[in-house]
Amino acid sequence: MEPSQGLEQVNSLPGRGREVAGGLARETLTINMGPQHPSTHGVLRLVLELEGEVIVSCQPVIGYLHTGIEKEMEHRTYHQNIPLVDRIEYLSSYHEELAYCMAVEKLLGVEVPKRAQYIRVILCELNRIASHLVWLGTTGIDLNVSSLLMYCFRDRERILEMSEMVSGQRMMPGYFRIGGVAEDLPDEFFPAVRQFLDEFPRRLDEYEAMLTDNLVWRRRHEGVAVLSREDALRYGVTGPTLRGSGVAYDVRKAFPYSSYEDFEFDVPTGENGDAFDRYRVRMEEMRQARRIVLQALDRLPGGPVITDDRKVALPPRRELVRSMEAVIHQFKLVSEGIHPPKGEVYAAVESPRGEKGYYIVSDGSNRPVRVRVRAPSFSNLQALPAMVRGGMLADVVVAIASIDIVLGDVDR
Amino acid sequence: MTREDLSGLERNVLTTTVERMLAWARSSSVWPVQFGLACCAIEMIATTTSKFDIARFGMEAFRASPRQSDLMIVAGRVSQKMAPVLRHIYDQMLEPKWVLSMGDCASCGGVYNNYALVQGVDKIVPVDVYVAGCPPRPEALLYGLMKLQEKIRERARAGGGR
Amino acid sequence: MKASLTPVQEFLAERLGDGALEAHTFRGDATVVVARERVVEALQAVREEPWRFEVLLDLTAWDRYPAEPRFEVVYHLLSLHRGERLRVKTRVPGEDPVLPSAVPVFAGANWFEREVWDLFGIRFQGHPNLVRILLPDDWEGHPLRRDYPLTEEPVEFRGHVPKVPSQIIPHVPPPRRDP
């Protein structure tokens, strides 16, 4: 039975709902796909109403990972917030930091040096590949292709090693600063990236050979969890989930930031809006991300990696022994922080899940008045009930996996 | 029996206590329950993959059901909404059971100190091993698991129950 | 303030007349502040041709306590057609924080409005299911209001007075400008 036929067949049966027909009462079954579940990709709770195996309605219950980060950020200075934002969308920390730093830089009106912009692009695109590998691995393990998890995480380990070379941390780097990045890239980074990028297309070809023409994979993904173009726009869905439904909106192309306009890359879109199209979109995005990193590495300009505005960025160490002003700037920045002008800004990046935006309101003091995180997973998850209605129970797992949510982003 | 038979007996027969044998069996095959909450869960998954390989310790069988598991690795921040669920899952586990608090948020609240988070999961469940880090490296988690294995065996050596 | 308004800002100013209280552009972001009774009308107006701001990116609020009107509710809109973003804001008083719901215009406003109710206590009239979304159902209070404490646990530092983390770097208020 095709998923879309399920609801019609059910509706045509006599005695639908609580009516009594022939002495028998019919009612739907309400089950809980609880916060602790292997396939919900985190602490997500779904209350599903089933008629047999067919989903009548699905209500997500979120908030099990609510951390109060937005309130916490109001009590810290702008620099102290950078390690906090890492932990919101924890699979794509570089994108979070970039969005936050871009918003504060926009508020200050400070210019980021070109080399720092290129470094940010390189790390963000590597992070995109890493995040999509986690998506692929966890989708595989949800569909019982458990060796895929091992393969994908093996490749992801290479990227985490590179992140460790650059920032000292595998995840949650805390590497971007307001006005640039903390330090320049180390020398051992470049051969490691090049070697990884040389081998990566062959790995992707292996995964695609295993999956794209695989009968089981296609049957579980094609026609499943369809999100129409209209529904996607109504719910504010962005990212690969929107592009799988045929809308070619990518923040990197629509509102270019951090020198993305210097690079040539394609934005893949799907047609049918089903899980298979989203899979194809993400696989192709990994190839395009590799293309961007290669271009950025080839054209990496020299120069400083952080702005030289002393009211925003710390002075370099060697100046501290010579200049009294440098010492005062250092003291002020560390003890008080920056003082952006009064106002509000919105800045957005294209994270692996969609448009990640930061809306920051400042009153001129050293702490933000309001930091609002526009979470792509929050809007994408809102579209889940529309995707799974009329489908089978097993398709809910595929639907959640294909939206690629991060609960830290949904609940903040 | 001759003298040769008795010396053969010493080489081929091992004596121990029931507690120590049970502890050896239990520590070699601890099955964690899938309780990954946030960022630490990703490092926990990385620990199960081929580079760090938790299977060498016998712990690769992460069970979805708490009734089939021995260990709860609380990997991630515990919000106020999740706290009753955590206690519920802990109560459903059968004895003997252990809790490993992975990461700073589970151990002490971590980087966050606000209305929404439980400041340390030891306010809700008794914790056996704390693994610090934000997130702890997979090697750190493996070290914590080895400490847990030592703890299980130590208890038995000292004559305790579990 | 009147210098270089974008076409959509001028359209809204003309269409709403007195309802459009302010319009400005700061760092490239176009913002229009409207009166709270007219906000749904404004959203509907820019959603149609030729503007087609069909995507509601974000619906949030912030607390201006102790200034009045206390809350400012902010809508971020996106027009794929024109490649533009727009911010529509409205202000809501503290004693009576009620606003008409935007769900009839944008279905995606559903969860956003629940979150604003949960964290700020602003009611949306006409919302199909205005219950808490992020916090437990029996929570009391609205945490993101400025008068709700962060509820920090004091951390004991050896040899020093127990502090809470947000005291470590003090809040430096904006410099007061004497007229």
Side-chain angles (χ1 to χ4, degrees):
Chain A
M1 180 159 78
E2 299 285 20
S4 54
Q5 288 176 356
L7 206 53
E8 282 92 284
Q9 284 208 346
V10 156
N11 276 329
S12 61
L13 290 169
R16 172 97 171 74
R18 297 195 110 100
E19 298 152 24
V20 178
L24 294 173
R26 294 170 49 89
E27 47 183 53
T28 55
L29 175 68
T30 306
I31 64 169
N32 179 50
M33 204 162 148
Q36 190 256 343
H37 192 280
S39 305
T40 51
H41 291 251
V43 281
L44 169 67
R45 180 173 168 219
L46 296 177
V47 179
L48 298 164
E49 211 183 312
L50 302 176
E51 182 85 48
E53 281 280 314
V54 174
I55 309 270
V56 172
S57 85
C58 161
Q59 281 159 42
V61 180
I62 60 176
Y64 289 95
L65 203 59
H66 179 62
T67 320
I69 292 187
E70 292 180 355
K71 182 140 184 115
E72 185 94 32
M73 289 207 266
E74 293 170 17
H75 291 257
R76 304 224 184 296
T77 65
Y78 288 88
H79 277 106
Q80 285 180 318
N81 282 333
I82 295 175
L84 277 185
V85 304
D86 274 340
R87 289 150 173 88
I88 299 178
E89 193 178 336
Y90 37 83
L91 287 173
S92 49
S93 307
Y94 284 105
H95 294 270
E96 282 284 348
E97 288 182 11
L98 179 59
Y100 175 73
C101 290
M102 266 173 54
V104 183
E105 287 151 11
K106 190 171 169 182
L107 191 57
L108 289 166
V110 91
E111 184 75 31
V112 177
K114 207 69 171 159
R115 186 178 174 88
Q117 291 184 16
Y118 275 52
I119 292 177
R120 285 175 169 186
V121 167
I122 292 173
L123 291 169
C124 282
E125 291 305 313
L126 285 173
N127 202 216
R128 190 184 308 275
I129 297 175
S131 171
H132 283 337
L133 285 169
V134 174
W135 157 78
L136 187 60
T138 50
T139 304
I141 205 169
D142 281 346
L143 297 182
N144 220 9
V145 187
S146 17
S147 49
L148 193 57
L149 182 82
M150 302 292 167
Y151 293 143
C152 292
F153 271 70
R154 169 197 60 182
D155 293 323
R156 184 166 177 263
E157 287 297 324
R158 305 274 298 275
I159 301 182
L160 292 182
E161 276 168 25
M162 288 184 254
S163 169
E164 203 181 350
M165 277 181 217
V166 164
S167 68
Q169 273 261 70
R170 288 153 56 98
M171 292 169 70
M172 330 300 174
Y175 178 63
F176 294 172
R177 296 282 181 270
I178 297 167
V181 296
E183 280 176 6
D184 207 343
L185 296 173
D187 295 325
E188 60 264 20
F189 178 74
F190 298 98
V193 179
R194 292 223 182 251
Q195 195 185 9
F196 170 72
L197 293 179
D198 284 338
E199 294 170 6
F200 191 58
R202 215 165 23 108
R203 301 253 197 262
L204 274 183
D205 290 337
E206 276 174 19
Y207 303 148
E208 289 197 318
M210 252 200 299
L211 300 171
T212 308
D213 290 323
N214 186 323
L215 181 66
V216 177
W217 189 265
R218 285 188 89 121
R219 284 289 292 271
R220 289 218 63 184
H221 277 78
E222 272 180 335
V224 166
V226 177
L227 182 67
S228 67
R229 192 179 186 279
E230 294 71 35
D231 273 344
L233 292 174
R234 276 171 68 216
Y235 288 111
V237 171
T238 50
T241 317
L242 177 68
R243 292 196 281 277
S245 302
V247 180
Y249 172 62
D250 187 323
V251 184
R252 297 174 291 176
K253 292 281 194 194
F255 304 97
Y257 56 91
S258 192
S259 302
Y260 267 102
E261 59 271 12
D262 294 351
F263 305 114
E264 276 178 32
F265 60 99
D266 301 320
V267 171
T269 48
E271 286 153 9
N272 307 319
D274 58 4
F276 192 67
D277 275 349
R278 294 192 277 271
Y279 154 79
R280 296 279 293 273
V281 163
R282 288 195 181 99
M283 296 302 279
E284 186 58 35
E285 275 188 9
M286 283 199 260
R287 293 187 197 276
Q288 296 300 320
R290 170 184 172 270
R291 203 171 149 196
I292 298 176
V293 178
L294 284 173
Q295 288 173 48
L297 282 174
D298 290 335
R299 293 188 241 149
L300 187 65
V305 293
I306 196 163
T307 180
D308 51 9
D309 184 345
R310 291 283 169 262
K311 297 243 185 307
V312 169
L314 289 175
R317 289 262 146 193
R318 58 182 183 281
E319 265 187 43
L320 292 178
V321 291
R322 284 181 294 174
S323 154
M324 191 58 203
E325 279 133 20
V327 175
I328 295 175
H329 282 130
Q330 162 111 348
F331 176 73
K332 277 285 181 189
L333 279 173
V334 172
S335 65
E336 256 180 47
I338 57 178
H339 290 262
K342 196 167 164 178
E344 57 195 1
V345 287
Y346 178 81
V349 305
E350 179 74 22
S351 90
R353 276 150 206 91
E355 170 163 342
K356 160 118 294 176
Y358 270 77
Y359 171 64
I360 300 187
V361 180
S362 156
D363 63 348
S365 69
N366 65 337
R367 292 181 181 177
V369 170
R370 173 88 170 105
V371 178
R372 158 71 179 176
V373 182
R374 192 264 168 198
S377 303
F378 189 78
S379 307
N380 295 357
L381 192 58
Q382 228 189 133
L384 180 71
M387 285 194 219
V388 300
R389 202 171 296 133
M392 301 283 214
L393 180 58
D395 296 334
V396 176
V397 170
V398 175
I400 299 176
S402 73
I403 312 180
D404 191 17
I405 47 170
V406 164
L407 265 301
D409 202 25
V410 172
D411 295 335
R412 276 156 282 120
Chain B
M1 280 178 127
T2 63
R3 191 168 281 263
E4 286 92 36
D5 293 331
L6 278 174
S7 62
L9 216 58
E10 278 165 22
R11 273 200 304 276
N12 295 323
V13 175
L14 176 71
T15 57
T16 180
T17 64
V18 171
E19 284 89 11
R20 286 172 75 167
M21 221 179 69
L22 281 179
W24 171 71
R26 282 175 182 153
S27 64
S28 309
S29 169
V30 179
W31 286 2
V33 67
Q34 288 167 359
F35 208 75
L37 299 171
C39 350
C40 284
I42 309 296
E43 288 292 55
M44 191 169 68
I45 298 175
T47 315
T48 65
T49 58
S50 40
K51 186 172 179 187
F52 300 103
D53 198 18
I54 208 176
R56 344 172 227 170
F57 299 94
M59 301 191 193
E60 80 279 11
F62 276 74
R63 311 304 296 169
S65 165
R67 299 197 189 273
Q68 297 169 6
S69 44
D70 311 306
L71 170 67
M72 183 157 82
I73 303 180
V74 184
R77 44 197 191 244
V78 181
S79 71
Q80 300 281 355
K81 201 166 176 178
M82 190 63 190
V85 179
L86 186 140
R87 182 71 211 188
H88 197 55
I89 301 283
Y90 177 76
D91 289 336
Q92 287 180 340
M93 288 164 70
L94 305 177
E95 295 281 342
K97 57 187 172 185
W98 299 276
V99 176
L100 184 144
S101 155
M102 177 182 180
D104 289 341
C105 290
S107 308
C108 64
V111 270
Y112 310 106
N113 194 346
N114 55 30
Y115 63 91
L117 288 187
V118 177
Q119 298 294 304
V121 80
D122 49 8
K123 293 192 194 291
I124 315 175
V125 294
V127 176
D128 294 290
V129 180
Y130 298 86
V131 181
C134 194
R137 286 187 65 103
E139 290 99 329
L141 178 63
L142 288 174
Y143 183 66
L145 289 168
M146 284 165 64
K147 281 281 178 203
L148 180 69
Q149 287 182 325
E150 271 178 40
K151 183 174 183 177
I152 298 172
R153 292 182 204 137
E154 254 329 293
R155 282 274 167 82
R157 203 167 299 137
R162 63 167 178 96
Chain C
M1 189 188 87
K2 288 292 188 289
S4 67
L5 289 182
T6 61
V8 67
Q9 283 175 310
E10 284 175 8
F11 161 75
L12 270 181
E14 205 186 294
R15 168 76 171 256
L16 297 177
D18 288 336
L21 306 172
E22 265 176 59
H24 57 261
T25 309
F26 176 68
R27 303 279 194 245
D29 288 351
T31 309
V32 180
V33 185
V34 302
R36 68 164 159 161
E37 315 81 46
R38 314 286 299 274
V39 70
V40 178
E41 189 192 328
L43 295 173
Q44 183 67 45
V46 293
R47 188 163 185 240
E48 291 158 2
E49 298 280 350
W51 311 105
R52 289 180 60 178
F53 280 89
E54 292 169 335
V55 181
L56 178 71
L57 283 177
D58 196 17
L59 201 178
T60 183
W62 61 283
D63 189 354
R64 299 164 73 227
Y65 185 82
E68 274 293 331
R70 181 170 176 181
F71 298 108
E72 204 166 87
V73 179
V74 182
Y75 301 77
H76 282 98
L77 301 168
L78 169 71
S79 171
L80 296 167
H81 189 60
R82 297 168 60 87
E84 250 182 67
R85 288 200 180 111
L86 175 67
R87 185 181 303 136
V88 176
K89 298 202 297 189
T90 181
R91 296 199 179 114
V92 172
E95 318 84 47
D96 176 38
V98 183
L99 203 55
S101 167
V103 171
V105 184
F106 295 105
N110 194 319
W111 278 18
F112 286 125
E113 289 181 350
R114 279 178 68 182
E115 187 186 342
V116 172
W117 157 245
D118 192 0
L119 297 173
F120 287 95
I122 299 174
R123 289 200 152 274
F124 289 90
Q125 277 168 339
H127 190 279
N129 182 28
L130 195 67
V131 294
R132 287 193 182 268
I133 189 170
L134 292 179
L135 291 166
D137 297 323
D138 51 357
W139 197 270
E140 278 171 24
H142 300 280
L144 247 62
R145 291 188 172 193
R146 305 280 290 174
D147 49 359
Y148 190 100
L150 187 58
T151 327
E152 293 173 283
E153 262 188 25
V155 181
E156 279 186 33
F157 293 97
R158 199 182 295 235
H160 293 268
V161 176
K163 288 192 228 199
V164 290
S166 59
Q167 288 171 356
I168 294 175
I169 293 190
H171 175 252
V172 176
R176 211 176 321 144
R177 256 166 287 175
D178 297 320

